[in-house]
Amino acid sequence: MPRTHALLLAAVLLSSVHAAAQQPAHPRKRTLAISRGMTPAQVREVLGEPVRVRREGDLAYMEYANGCAGCTADYVVVQDCRVVAARFENPSRQLLATPAPDRSAPPQGECLLAANDPGAPGHQAGVATAQAAADTGGRVPSPPRDTGPGGMAPEGRTVTQPAATLAEAPPQEGSAREWRRRLTLRRPVNRLVAVPAASLSSPTAFGVQMGEGFLGFAYQERTRFTSTDDGAAAIGIGLGDRRYVALEVAATSYSTVRGGGPLETGGISFKAHHAFNDQLGVAVGWENAISWGGSDAGNSPFGVVTRVFRLNQDPRAALSAVAASLGVGAGRFRSEADVVDDKATVNVFGSVGVQVIEPLSVVGDWNGQDLYAGVSFAPVRRVPLLVNAGFADITGNAGDGARFIISAGVGFRWLPPLF
């Protein structure tokens, strides 16, 4: 009978469920391309009307929703009525290489950032501005923004993959601005926002990829049909690219509290996963494909699909997203009766996580045997740490009554971002 395995998965899933869901996926539809030197009117013809316009000094930002729960909105940076930079999470949008600088002054009507924007950025797209853009590669500073883990492994998952930093145009040598730049510590362009998990026991279709990893710990106040507590620990890394195929490899230590100590009993699990886009993924895996020490968890092949439904474009709003997973599996996913009778069957499992507020989700999870319910909490907004707490075997279909469970997981990066 699986005793600690389901609880352990809660810790593992902490660092991988949502974050991977927020990764840019491989483009599968027509790409909307803009280039530096375009006017705001030309950008609007390609991308449509922005959802918001904001200004930072002489820079203006045209923001666009990107369908990524918890991520920073896509934005186009405009200076003196010309596009100088952009940042896109949505894979269907692209900023092309810098063309030859346009030295002409565009018509005033071309400078409107939005149809309802009464004021356009300064209408000064002359030779000096064009030459400055050419000298700096068209790059301009981007203000620090909060963003979702967009490159971390979620979701049982939370590792960050920062986007490329937009460099500041070099000031004149010897100027006061140059000395201030040398003596100032720059803030990062993007900051991680931890996202609560959407499963307590069942696997999800999102996972870590190359350079990402997670570490998790789990504890239950008693195991099934005993009065003895127990705990487990796991560590995992990712290989490959989830836009194509990524492989998550996790090593688990079972019976860490009541057994002979760490690593006496354990297993190695594998999960291959693919993200179709920011909100849909599929995975196949094999829990405890390799095991040692006589673990009662057994090996459990499975397949699962996860879909993230974004209810609000602002991830900070209440009830902003719902994540649902549905899968089939053998091993621990079988009914308790089939496990006892050693029947080689498969069973359905699934989970639903509702992001009530940005750092907190409420989770219901049917792991094929019984119902789990609890909460997932990200206590520190910009630290990839998640805590899950709840109860297992609530309905009594398996085990001998409800049991309290708690787990914690943290994401980390073992390689610097390559892209």
Side-chain angles (χ1 to χ4, degrees):
M1 291 290 296
R3 293 176 180 171
T4 62
H5 190 267
L7 178 60
L8 168 71
L9 284 178
V12 173
L13 290 170
L14 288 175
S15 22
S16 51
V17 173
H18 282 75
Q22 297 165 349
Q23 278 288 2
H26 183 59
R28 292 182 177 272
K29 55 185 179 181
R30 182 173 65 92
T31 299
L32 302 176
I34 66 170
S35 62
R36 295 184 178 92
M38 274 185 159
T39 65
Q42 292 171 329
V43 171
R44 289 158 54 201
E45 288 181 2
V46 177
L47 302 183
E49 290 295 324
V51 296
R52 189 163 78 105
V53 170
R54 59 189 174 86
R55 292 180 172 83
E56 300 282 344
D58 62 345
L59 301 179
Y61 295 80
M62 303 169 67
E63 297 189 355
Y64 292 87
N66 54 26
C68 172
C71 295
T72 302
D74 289 353
Y75 58 83
V76 177
V77 186
V78 176
Q79 184 178 42
D80 295 334
C81 199
R82 295 288 185 184
V83 172
V84 293
R87 181 180 182 276
F88 295 139
E89 291 282 356
N90 190 321
S92 66
R93 296 173 182 148
Q94 182 181 3
L95 178 65
L96 301 179
T98 306
D102 187 347
R103 301 174 184 275
S104 63
Q108 183 64 36
E110 292 282 303
C111 298
L112 291 178
L113 300 175
N116 59 353
D117 183 26
H123 179 59
Q124 319 225 351
V127 175
T129 298
Q131 186 61 49
D135 293 342
T136 62
R139 295 174 295 174
V140 298
S142 176
R145 296 293 308 279
D146 290 340
T147 182
M152 111 188 136
E155 103 56 16
R157 344 196 280 0
T158 316
V159 181
T160 179
Q161 179 177 352
T165 301
L166 299 176
E168 182 178 352
Q172 294 293 325
E173 185 68 27
S175 67
R177 180 167 165 237
E178 165 66 7
W179 283 108
R180 283 197 301 271
R181 185 188 66 81
R182 293 180 180 182
L183 299 175
T184 300
L185 294 177
R186 299 183 187 179
R187 295 177 294 175
V189 172
N190 298 298
R191 302 189 184 107
L192 174 70
V193 176
V195 178
S199 175
L200 294 176
S201 172
S202 302
T204 71
F206 296 116
V208 291
Q209 64 176 357
M210 178 62 73
E212 302 169 354
F214 59 85
L215 178 65
F217 302 91
Y219 174 82
Q220 55 182 331
E221 48 98 13
R222 67 177 184 86
T223 60
R224 287 182 181 176
F225 305 109
T226 76
S227 58
T228 306
D229 62 351
D230 200 3
I235 186 171
I237 63 170
L239 303 169
D241 189 327
R242 66 174 62 91
R243 295 175 300 175
Y244 307 100
V245 176
L247 179 65
E248 180 177 293
V249 182
T252 303
S253 173
Y254 299 112
S255 300
T256 304
V257 174
R258 65 185 177 92
L263 302 180
E264 182 187 55
T265 303
I268 298 178
S269 303
F270 302 93
K271 180 170 73 172
H273 55 94
H274 168 73
F276 291 100
N277 52 44
D278 297 335
Q279 297 172 309
L280 178 65
V282 296
V284 293
W286 195 345
E287 296 177 356
N288 296 313
I290 302 171
S291 61
W292 65 87
S295 169
D296 60 2
N299 65 82
S300 306
F302 66 88
V304 63
V305 177
T306 298
R307 178 75 163 89
V308 177
F309 301 91
R310 185 166 183 176
L311 307 181
N312 195 306
Q313 292 295 320
D314 185 356
R316 294 166 294 186
L319 301 176
S320 60
V322 174
S325 297
L326 182 65
V328 294
R332 75 176 182 94
F333 304 107
R334 298 172 293 167
S335 67
E336 186 177 46
D338 286 346
V339 172
V340 172
D341 295 338
D342 197 24
K343 292 184 178 179
T345 59
V346 296
N347 203 8
V348 176
F349 63 85
S351 62
V352 175
V354 179
Q355 193 168 358
V356 181
I357 55 177
E358 186 179 31
L360 178 71
S361 65
V362 175
V363 181
D365 187 338
W366 178 266
N367 70 347
Q369 294 188 358
D370 211 326
L371 180 66
Y372 286 57
V375 296
S376 178
F377 180 55
V380 183
R381 194 169 189 266
R382 297 187 181 97
V383 175
L385 169 68
L386 297 178
V387 177
N388 283 355
F391 291 89
D393 298 344
I394 293 176
T395 64
N397 284 339
D400 57 340
R403 296 169 289 120
F404 176 72
I405 58 175
I406 188 169
S407 57
V410 63
F412 62 85
R413 177 168 289 283
W414 54 277
L415 279 179
L418 302 179
F419 304 100

